[in-house]
Amino acid sequence: AEVEHLLVKGGQINGGDDGRTPLIAATRARQLDVVRYLTQWGADVNLKDGRGLSAFLLAASEAGPDDSLLVVMLNSGAKLQSADAEGDTGLHLAARLGYSAIARRLLTNAVPVDAANNAGRTALHEALLADACTAGHIEVVGLLVNAGADVGRTTPDGRPPLELARAANCPEIVAILEKAGAR
């Protein structure tokens, strides 16, 4: 009700301090109802704050691991190839955090699986460099491999995915990569 009152009074739906729009604030606070309301009023899910994060990218990372906010962003015109200041796409961010529901949703919407960020790393590299052997990271690696991620592509410093998985001491991910032909 308060958001509606502010908008009716002429509040700037896509304005904000340092690019922090009401939608970005609501996404960070995981306020699904407010996010839905703002997008219905035409809030732009692709506007970025000073760190290069849009509500869409936040829904894929800081607001996760649930994908309900991401669904709103996708239904509101999110640019799937959008990236933050470091070149991380939503898939990079979700992979790093082990957010399998978000990674699945993004892959279902045909995001590029092997896009590289500014550091030259793919989402698969980010999942492996997280140095985590959680159920979420294992599932994300499986999703990326099933979506066609290049299991032979090395990081810019020359480390292949299988080496990263072994260094992380994650036999489940090692098995996924070996089954996919990684060496």
Side-chain angles (χ1 to χ4, degrees):
E2 186 175 335
V3 172
E4 180 178 14
H5 175 74
L6 292 171
L7 291 174
V8 169
K9 290 271 190 187
Q12 295 296 315
I13 195 162
N14 287 318
D17 206 19
D18 192 25
R20 289 179 294 225
T21 66
L23 182 61
I24 286 174
T27 303
R28 270 203 174 98
R30 297 181 178 124
Q31 295 177 339
L32 181 59
D33 290 338
V34 175
V35 166
R36 283 186 182 131
Y37 189 78
L38 289 168
T39 58
Q40 290 169 354
W41 272 71
D44 188 340
V45 301
N46 297 301
L47 288 179
K48 294 182 180 179
D49 66 12
R51 296 183 334 175
L53 290 170
S54 63
F56 162 63
L57 291 171
L58 287 166
S61 60
E62 292 178 26
D66 176 34
D67 69 345
S68 55
L69 287 166
L70 181 64
V71 170
V72 174
M73 303 301 163
L74 294 172
N75 291 335
S76 300
K79 294 179 182 171
L80 296 175
Q81 295 184 17
S82 178
D84 67 12
E86 285 78 39
D88 289 320
T89 65
L91 189 58
H92 284 97
L93 299 168
R96 183 179 304 132
L97 296 166
Y99 289 167
S100 57
I102 291 173
R104 180 181 296 105
R105 179 79 57 188
L106 290 169
L107 290 166
T108 300
N109 282 277
V111 298
V113 71
D114 280 328
N117 61 17
N118 296 351
R121 297 187 304 255
T122 66
L124 180 59
H125 295 143
E126 292 299 331
L128 298 170
L129 288 167
D131 198 25
C133 193
T134 67
H137 285 92
I138 294 165
E139 189 172 356
V140 166
V141 169
L143 291 167
L144 293 168
V145 168
N146 288 338
D150 183 351
V151 297
R153 185 173 176 173
T154 62
T155 58
D157 62 355
R159 295 180 297 161
L162 192 56
E163 179 183 319
L164 297 173
R166 286 183 178 140
N169 195 27
C170 192
E172 296 90 347
I173 291 178
V174 169
I176 292 168
L177 293 172
E178 286 178 339
K179 185 177 178 186
R183 300 194 183 341

